[in-house]
């Protein structure tokens, strides 16, 4: 790990806690709307409302290149996994208690570790395999097959975790070759187009209050993303990444206060096991010479989010813009010195 000043790590941790607090609030509105509307309708309008903000950011991308993806098939997988992950994530939050939905989505680091083997060529040792197995046992404890009725919400949560994990691994594979604008534009546009085609079949008229809730979802996702970018700028990834598990605290509070939900003992035990295994994988990857790709540590966007944006492309775009500005400033200084 890099020698980041302790004060910066503390600030980064605080920014990430704020980001995941915003995400948890965002999920409350998702659950509220999910009781009355299809995930297709919720995602379409929240995505449409967030479109102008992102478009303005993408317009400012001055890096050279075209908008054709270098890896079209992997880009198709990214678009499909983004759509499936977001849709299934909304469905899971709509049908399950908040704490249980989070517990299932927290399985994403386990799935990322497994998918990174065939896709990234990652070598996973006995320690991380052990953490994956323990984490999957935690998922089984939460789901309790045979002991409780498994429904569509549980299946949706598992699909959301898998799709989000696939998305993360694909971005890790092609992210350094594709332009940031391409990585963000294709999933965003394809989601709006596909959801727009499906919308007439599920549309229910929305009062202004509910339409405003979709705006809160769009704004919350964007605000949380900006806070996370700031967190990763300040602190080491191994400090920021574990903060995602703070969402379970918010889930328990919001679930109890707003939805009269109280997680049972098995959900708490299973969630604790999943979080412990996820933390072990994060810290294991943070150690030098343990992982060549650090796929979990480099996953900077939240699993199961309704937002199609990813933090990594925005950070790379920002880095490129800073490098371009620095190069221009250096050229100007060189000319001034010569004259």
């Amino acid at each position: 790990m890099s020698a980041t000043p302790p004060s910066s790590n503390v600030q980064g941790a605080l920014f990430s806690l704020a980001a995941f607090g915003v995400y948890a609030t965002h999920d409350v509105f998702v659950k509220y709307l999910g009781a009355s509307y299809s995930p297709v309708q919720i995602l379409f309008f929240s995505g449409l409302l967030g479109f102008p903000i992102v478009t303005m950011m993408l317009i400012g991308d001055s890096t050279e290149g075209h908008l054709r993806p270098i890896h079209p098939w992997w880009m198709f997988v990214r678009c499909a996994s983004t759509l499936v992950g977001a849709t299934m994530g909304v469905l899971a939050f709509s049908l399950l208690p908040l704490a249980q939905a989070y517990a299932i989505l927290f399985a994403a680091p386990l799935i990322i570790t497994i998918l990174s083997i065939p896709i990234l060529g990652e070598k996973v040792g006995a320690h991380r395999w052990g953490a994956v197995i323990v984490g999957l046992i935690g998922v089984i404890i939460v789901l309790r097959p045979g002991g409780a009725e498994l429904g569509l919400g549980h299946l949706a949560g598992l699909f959301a975790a898998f799709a989000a994990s696939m998305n993360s691994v694909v971005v890790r594979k092609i992210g350094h070759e594709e332009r940031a604008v391409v990585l963000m534009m294709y999933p965003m546009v394809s989601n709006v187009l596909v959801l727009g085609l499906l919308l007439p079949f599920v549309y229910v008229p929305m009062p202004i209050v509910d339409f405003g809730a979709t705006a809160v979802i769009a704004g919350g996702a964007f605000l949380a993303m900006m806070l996370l970018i700031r967190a990763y700028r300040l602190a080491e990834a191994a400090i920021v990444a574990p903060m995602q598990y703070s969402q379970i605290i918010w889930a328990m509070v919001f679930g109890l206060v707003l939805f009269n939900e109280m997680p049972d003992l098995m959900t708490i035990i299973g969630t604790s096991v999943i979080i412990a295994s996820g933390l072990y994988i994060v810290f294991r990857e943070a150690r030098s010479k343990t992982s060549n790709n650090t796929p979990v540590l480099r996953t900077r966007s939240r699993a199961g989010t309704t937002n199609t944006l990813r933090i990594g492309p925005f950070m790379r775009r920002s880095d490129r813009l800073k490098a371009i500005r620095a190069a221009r400033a250096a050229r100007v200084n060189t000319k001034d010195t010569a004259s």
Side-chain angles (χ1 to χ4, degrees):
M1 289 189 288
S2 61
T4 303
S7 59
S8 294
N9 278 332
V10 172
Q11 292 177 46
L14 292 175
F15 271 104
S16 60
L17 284 173
F20 289 115
V22 172
Y23 269 132
T25 307
H26 157 290
D27 295 333
V28 169
F29 284 90
V30 170
K31 186 171 181 62
Y32 160 73
L33 290 176
S36 305
Y37 306 99
S38 162
V40 170
Q41 185 167 341
I42 297 170
L43 286 168
F44 176 79
F45 284 111
S46 61
L48 195 65
L49 291 170
F51 208 102
I53 302 174
V54 180
T55 301
M56 293 304 295
M57 295 185 71
L58 296 182
I59 287 175
D61 187 357
S62 58
T63 55
E64 296 181 358
H66 51 71
L67 295 179
R68 295 189 305 274
I70 298 173
H71 303 280
W73 287 110
W74 282 119
M75 188 59 67
F76 173 79
V77 174
R78 166 161 162 70
C79 292
S81 59
T82 299
L83 179 61
V84 172
T87 306
M88 293 295 102
V90 171
L91 191 58
F93 280 121
S94 302
L95 298 177
L96 297 177
L98 283 173
Q100 199 169 88
Y102 276 121
I104 298 173
L105 292 176
F106 284 162
L110 315 175
I111 303 172
I112 289 172
T113 303
I114 296 171
L115 291 176
S116 68
I117 299 172
I119 297 177
L120 300 178
E122 178 80 353
K123 294 181 180 179
V124 176
H127 288 272
R128 279 190 290 164
W129 268 122
V132 168
I133 293 171
V134 170
L136 293 178
I137 291 173
V139 174
I140 293 173
I141 293 173
V142 172
L143 295 178
R144 300 189 294 281
E149 184 178 351
L150 297 180
L152 180 59
H154 300 93
L155 187 63
L158 291 172
F159 268 104
F162 180 85
S165 301
M166 176 62 76
N167 195 1
S168 296
V169 175
V170 168
V171 171
R172 187 79 180 108
K173 184 176 181 65
I174 67 175
H176 293 292
E177 297 181 64
E178 300 284 3
R179 293 177 66 199
V181 63
V182 172
L183 282 172
M184 291 185 286
M185 183 189 70
Y186 276 83
M188 185 171 61
V189 172
S190 62
N191 280 14
V192 170
L193 289 177
V194 172
L195 294 171
L197 290 174
L198 296 175
L199 184 63
F201 300 100
V202 297
Y203 179 75
V204 175
M206 302 180 79
I208 189 65
V209 173
D210 289 354
F211 189 75
T214 64
V216 172
I217 292 172
F222 185 77
L223 174 60
M225 183 189 71
M226 300 307 293
L227 289 170
L228 267 185
I229 288 175
R230 181 62 177 164
Y232 276 107
R233 291 289 184 207
L234 288 168
E236 301 166 10
I239 299 295
V240 177
M243 298 302 164
Q244 66 174 306
Y245 296 117
S246 65
Q247 293 173 108
I248 196 67
I249 300 174
W250 289 107
M252 291 181 178
V253 173
F254 285 144
L256 180 62
V257 174
L258 300 177
F259 304 105
N260 197 29
E261 300 171 350
M262 185 64 188
D264 58 26
L265 180 60
M266 297 303 288
T267 297
I268 293 174
I269 293 174
T271 303
S272 301
V273 172
I274 295 168
I275 291 175
S277 63
L279 288 174
Y280 185 84
I281 290 172
V282 166
F283 291 125
R284 187 75 183 169
E285 286 190 2
R287 295 178 58 184
S288 59
K289 298 181 181 180
T290 299
S291 171
N292 293 326
N293 298 288
T294 57
V296 174
L297 201 60
R298 297 297 183 92
T299 298
R300 293 172 174 147
S301 297
R302 191 186 67 142
T305 181
T306 60
N307 184 23
T308 62
L309 302 179
R310 300 192 65 80
I311 293 169
F314 269 105
M315 294 183 69
R316 285 193 290 274
R317 173 182 172 273
S318 176
D319 290 339
R320 291 192 189 101
L321 292 177
K322 287 181 179 178
I324 292 171
R325 293 191 189 102
R328 288 173 179 171
R331 286 196 295 268
V332 171
N333 292 335
T334 301
K335 290 180 181 178
D336 291 343
T337 302
S339 61

